[in-house]
Amino acid sequence: MSSVRFLTGITTSGTPHLGNYVGSIRPAVAASLRPGVESYYFLADYHALIKINEPERIQRSTLEIAASWLAAGLDPARVVFYRQSDVPEIPELTWFLTCVTGKGILNRAHAYKASVDKNLAAELDPDADVTAGLFMYPVLMGADILMFNAHHVPVGRDQIQHIEMARDMAHSFNHRYGEHFVAPLAAIEESVATLPGLDGRKMSKSYDNTIPLFAPRAELKKLIAGIKTDSRAPGEAKSTEGSALFQIYQAFASAEETTAFAQAFADGIAWGAAKEQLFERIDREIAPMRARYEHLMAHPQEVEALLHAGAVKARAVATPFMARLRQAVGLRSLGSAAAAPAKAAKMAAASFKQYREKDGQFYFKLVDAKGALLLQSLGFESPKQAGVAIALIKQEGLGALAALRTQLADEQASPGALQAALDSLHGDQG
Ligand code: TRP
């Protein structure tokens, strides 16, 4: 019953292109529609500040990326779609993680090391032009992930090291302060293609060979006409191997369409005609989304409202979780019971009660020491399922409630009262 959480971030540093769509947007939107999956997708605008110091560009990219995801079918009612900088708990958690992360580990991060190596090769100071932001990049990313206790993080191969670092941070923190974090895993989609760009190299902003996802029809057509081909004349058989044109077509077409396109290559289709076919095939998939994209770009306040609603959902998890972490590390109210361990031990504990109702279903509730109701479940088919939900709440605290929301009744005490009750349970266990 407890769902699996997927989380991924998109740095708001550019305009989404077809490579982003095929490699990340399309598979992520598809994944978010699977049942039993809880998805967190966010705009990593704090990360963008590391690379970009043009405020307008950050703002524009944030809008373009949000509008692209929404136009591509991301349903903000089904996923938690938010902007990193709307969740102040993330930078706060970054500091907690900074304090449990070895500096030596960060020295070995690929992106930082690449900058240092470049400086050394140029006989400059190793840290010339390296900001502390670049150095800290993996910690901020770790906070993004651990904040929501994500199980799986869909990323490109270049990001695997960052996920491993996040695992390290989870372990270091848990080791010092108790089990608070899930150790995340990188989810690499083997079947997802990397798209070649106009020049045949991987489509990437750094090669300046991209086709913007929502270029207007005429521009899309012009860009596709510019894809590099060989000089074979019409009527001459063409090779599909190594053809950027063919690979891009394949990423959009069905197996049958791809076979037919390969046949056309063998039959000597003219490059111009092949490009025309590719353009029509891409436009067939993109055109319905383009209308929505253009609408959202013209109504940024609609996107803003959706992101705000997403931030509210994200903070419903992050705020109580952060409160628990503050408690765990000792940033506590001086009057709180935890400051005086002798008293804490005596503090009356709340408890979970499991029971069966006349409808034959199995329920649980959380009651405080005096028996007042704090949390009420809906019915489960078996006592085991109810037990799993209880274990999840005990283990993950309030953070688990979002995942369990379809199994909980509306009667819930305030987050503060629930937190105190959960803390008392832990005290109870010694
Ligand atoms: N570093 C990622 C990239 O550039 C973006 C990112 C930021 C991210 N925080 C994240 C991805 C958390 C996954 C999870 O692609």
Side-chain angles (χ1 to χ4, degrees):
M1 141 79 238
S2 84
S3 56
V4 184
R5 284 182 299 277
F6 280 74
L7 173 144
T8 200
I10 310 95
T11 307
T12 54
S13 53
T15 303
H17 54 67
L18 288 182
N20 300 137
Y21 174 71
V22 167
S24 133
I25 303 175
R26 193 171 61 182
V29 170
S32 76
L33 299 173
R34 289 207 305 263
V37 172
E38 207 184 323
S39 305
Y40 289 79
Y41 294 123
F42 70 95
L43 302 154
D45 53 351
Y46 282 137
H47 277 97
L49 295 181
I50 294 169
K51 281 185 267 182
I52 297 180
N53 37 46
E54 297 160 62
E56 283 73 29
R57 194 161 143 214
I58 300 253
Q59 185 191 21
R60 169 123 195 125
S61 170
T62 303
L63 176 60
E64 286 174 344
I65 293 177
S68 297
W69 280 74
L70 294 165
L74 192 75
D75 177 358
R78 285 191 69 130
V79 306
V80 187
F81 184 51
Y82 58 101
R83 174 169 48 195
Q84 187 184 31
S85 66
D86 283 338
V87 184
E89 288 80 4
I90 293 171
E92 187 175 7
L93 180 55
T94 301
W95 182 249
F96 285 20
L97 297 180
T98 302
C99 295
V100 299
T101 303
K103 178 173 176 290
I105 299 216
L106 299 179
N107 287 339
R108 290 191 280 280
H110 298 321
Y112 170 69
K113 249 179 63 189
S115 297
V116 168
D117 290 347
K118 215 169 116 197
N119 283 331
L120 290 175
E123 296 184 30
L124 295 167
D125 180 275
D127 282 330
D129 279 333
V130 175
T131 65
L134 177 66
F135 188 67
M136 292 293 296
Y137 187 112
V139 189
L140 178 56
M141 185 158 159
D144 290 332
I145 298 167
L146 302 187
M147 186 82 261
F148 299 100
N149 269 325
H151 300 100
H152 300 285
V153 186
V155 283
R157 300 198 160 277
D158 59 325
Q159 297 290 318
I160 294 179
Q161 188 195 32
H162 291 146
I163 313 299
E164 276 161 8
M165 289 179 166
R167 288 177 71 80
D168 276 355
M169 293 170 207
H171 288 138
S172 311
F173 191 95
N174 287 351
H175 180 70
R176 285 177 178 73
Y177 300 114
E179 290 296 313
H180 295 280
F181 294 125
V182 168
L185 289 169
I188 309 290
E189 272 273 20
E190 302 291 348
S191 64
V192 167
T194 16
L195 219 60
L198 296 171
D199 58 359
R201 289 186 293 174
K202 177 186 166 182
M203 190 179 288
S204 161
K205 213 171 38 154
S206 31
Y207 295 143
D208 197 19
N209 64 356
T210 64
I211 302 175
L213 173 56
F214 290 116
R217 234 180 99 86
E219 191 191 330
L220 179 64
K221 188 166 179 149
K222 214 173 109 204
L223 285 167
I224 288 175
I227 294 174
K228 204 172 128 196
T229 57
D230 61 29
S231 54
R232 274 170 228 232
E236 258 186 274
K238 313 216 161 26
S239 166
T240 57
E241 197 137 326
S243 161
L245 196 71
F246 187 79
Q247 278 176 51
I248 299 174
Y249 186 86
Q250 195 167 25
F252 285 87
S254 67
E256 296 78 50
E257 289 169 321
T258 303
T259 311
F261 202 51
Q263 188 58 50
F265 269 50
D267 294 344
I269 186 174
W271 284 125
K275 285 173 173 175
E276 180 64 29
Q277 260 196 50
L278 173 62
F279 163 66
E280 290 299 345
R281 187 61 193 84
I282 294 179
D283 195 56
R284 176 139 64 90
E285 180 159 334
I286 302 300
M289 305 174 194
R290 194 185 284 127
R292 171 114 172 99
Y293 178 79
E294 280 166 4
H295 172 87
L296 291 170
M297 289 303 290
H299 299 86
Q301 66 288 0
E302 284 182 25
V303 178
E304 186 65 36
L306 288 172
L307 291 177
H308 267 289
V312 169
K313 281 204 264 179
R315 294 194 72 196
V317 177
T319 308
F321 188 32
M322 202 62 219
R324 192 155 71 97
L325 296 174
R326 291 179 66 106
Q327 191 72 18
V329 300
L331 306 184
R332 298 170 179 160
S333 155
L334 300 183
S336 77
K343 267 193 192 155
K346 268 190 260 151
M347 201 180 91
S351 57
F352 280 100
K353 311 268 186 229
Q354 270 189 267
Y355 55 98
R356 191 171 190 181
E357 281 283 12
K358 289 198 198 72
D359 63 5
Q361 304 232 71
F362 297 85
Y363 292 77
F364 68 81
K365 59 187 176 183
L366 176 65
V367 295
D368 71 11
K370 294 190 193 109
L373 181 67
L374 299 171
L375 190 68
Q376 171 66 58
S377 81
L378 299 177
F380 290 84
E381 271 165 33
S382 71
K384 180 147 179 260
Q385 287 172 355
V388 167
I390 292 174
L392 189 74
I393 296 173
K394 281 188 177 165
Q395 192 194 325
E396 300 195 12
L398 294 187
L401 297 187
L404 290 171
R405 72 187 154 240
T406 56
Q407 292 294 352
L408 296 175
D410 289 335
E411 308 145 45
Q412 288 181 30
S414 70
L418 281 173
Q419 190 60 59
L422 293 173
D423 289 345
S424 79
L425 284 174
H426 285 288
D428 204 32
Q429 288 160 4

